[in-house]
C-alpha cells in the first residue's frame, strides 16, 4: 500500500504524460497528459487513442500498440505526431510497455511533448547550415580552435587551402599547424596572444 501511494503520487505529479491503454482506448491518464492534449481527464477515459494521433502517424502508433499488447515487443520508444483536442499538431516522444490490467494485456507508458525541442534543433541545424555555406564561400580563413581539454582545430574553412597551402584536414590532424606556419617575425606576438 505504501509503495502504491508513492507511485500514485509520482504519476499524478509527473511532468510527463502517463497513460494506460487497453482495447485501443485510454483507461487512465494523469493530469499532465490531459493538459498536453488540452482535455479534462474525464473526457479522455474511454476515448480512442488514435483520435489523438495525426492521420499519417496512426498506422505506426496502432502497430506499436499491437506489438506491445501481443507481447511481440515488451517496450517501444519512438517519436510521432499527435493531435490536441482542438486539432493542433505536436511532436511527441513516447515510451510504452506491456502490462496486465484487470486480467487483460494493456500498454502503460509516458508521452512527452517535444515540439519546442524539435523546433530548436531544426533552427540550430538551419543556422549551422547557413554558417557552413557562408564560411565555405568566404575568401578569408574562418576557424575555431580549442585550447582545452585538448588542443586542436574544431573547424577550418576551405579557404585555408588557398591561403596556407594546407587543407582543413591537415589542420585537424596537427593541432600545432596553425602556429607552425606563422612567420618567425610574428611568432612572439602570437605567443603573447595565446
Amino acid at each position: 500500500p505504501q509503495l502504491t501511494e508513492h507511485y500514485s503520487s509520482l504519476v499524478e505529479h509527473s511532468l510527463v504524460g502517463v497513460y494506460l491503454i487497453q482495447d485501443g482506448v485510454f483507461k487512465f491518464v494523469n493530469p499532465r497528459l490531459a493538459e498536453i492534449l488540452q482535455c479534462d481527464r474525464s473526457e479522455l477515459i474511454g476515448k480512442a487513442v488514435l483520435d489523438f494521433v495525426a492521420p499519417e502517424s496512426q498506422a505506426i502508433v496502432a502497430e506499436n500498440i499491437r506489438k506491445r499488447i501481443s507481447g511481440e515487443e515488451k517496450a517501444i520508444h519512438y517519436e510521432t505526431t499527435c493531435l490536441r483536442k482542438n486539432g493542433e499538431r505536436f511532436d511527441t516522444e513516447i515510451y510504452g510497455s506491456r502490462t496486465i490490467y484487470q486480467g487483460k494485456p494493456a500498454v502503460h507508458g509516458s508521452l512527452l511533448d517535444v515540439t519546442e525541442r524539435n523546433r530548436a534543433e531544426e533552427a540550430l541545424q538551419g543556422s549551422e547550415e547557413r554558417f557552413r555555406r557562408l564560411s565555405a564561400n568566404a575568401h578569408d580563413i574562418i576557424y575555431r580552435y580549442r585550447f582545452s581539454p585538448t588542443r586542436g582545430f574544431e573547424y577550418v574553412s576551405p579557404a585555408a587551402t588557398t591561403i596556407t597551402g594546407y587543407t582543413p584536414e591537415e589542420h585537424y590532424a596537427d593541432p600545432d599547424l596553425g602556429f607552425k606556419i606563422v612567420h618567425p617575425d610574428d611568432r612572439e606576438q602570437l605567443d603573447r596572444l595565446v
Side-chain angles (χ1 to χ4, degrees):
Q2 188 177 15
L3 182 60
T4 302
E5 183 180 315
H6 287 299
Y7 178 75
S8 177
S9 177
L10 177 67
V11 168
E12 289 297 308
H13 298 98
S14 177
L15 298 177
V16 299
V18 178
Y19 59 84
L20 180 77
I21 298 168
Q22 192 176 61
D23 300 323
V25 301
F26 289 113
K27 294 291 187 173
F28 169 83
V29 298
N30 73 340
R32 179 62 183 139
L33 184 60
E35 181 183 330
I36 290 169
L37 297 176
Q38 297 177 345
C39 294
D40 291 328
R41 287 172 82 176
S42 59
E43 289 180 84
L44 290 169
I45 304 305
K47 277 279 207 179
V49 172
L50 295 182
D51 288 351
F52 296 92
V53 178
E56 70 277 8
S57 300
Q58 288 181 358
I60 190 70
V61 170
E63 179 63 7
N64 285 339
I65 291 171
R66 184 200 64 75
K67 285 179 180 178
R68 284 173 283 167
I69 293 288
S70 71
E72 186 178 328
E73 290 194 38
K74 296 282 187 223
I76 297 177
H77 177 239
Y78 63 103
E79 287 193 22
T80 194
T81 305
C82 288
L83 302 171
R84 301 191 204 283
K85 180 181 177 180
N86 65 4
E88 178 189 350
R89 300 164 64 86
F90 66 103
D91 299 330
T92 61
E93 184 174 331
I94 295 174
Y95 177 83
S97 60
R98 186 177 194 271
T99 190
I100 298 296
Y101 176 68
Q102 296 182 343
K104 292 173 50 182
V107 175
H108 70 108
S110 60
L111 179 147
L112 183 64
D113 182 344
V114 294
T115 306
E116 291 306 315
R117 181 189 77 188
N118 289 353
R119 284 183 186 152
E121 286 174 0
E122 287 174 13
L124 179 60
Q125 287 172 355
S127 177
E128 287 176 351
E129 179 57 33
R130 283 190 298 278
F131 168 77
R132 294 225 183 267
R133 279 197 313 266
L134 286 169
S135 66
N137 294 306
H139 297 291
D140 298 320
I141 298 175
I142 299 171
Y143 67 93
R144 182 175 174 157
Y145 191 85
R146 174 188 64 250
F147 285 96
S148 66
T150 57
R151 294 168 24 115
F153 288 95
E154 293 181 346
Y155 176 77
V156 178
S157 65
T161 307
T162 305
I163 295 170
T164 69
Y166 295 97
T167 65
E169 290 74 20
E170 290 173 293
H171 281 80
Y172 300 141
D174 183 354
D176 294 320
L177 182 58
F179 300 99
K180 291 176 184 174
I181 62 176
V182 172
H183 192 277
D185 294 346
D186 296 325
R187 288 233 173 109
E188 185 180 328
Q189 183 179 358
L190 179 65
D191 289 341
R192 283 197 306 268
L193 292 173
V194 294

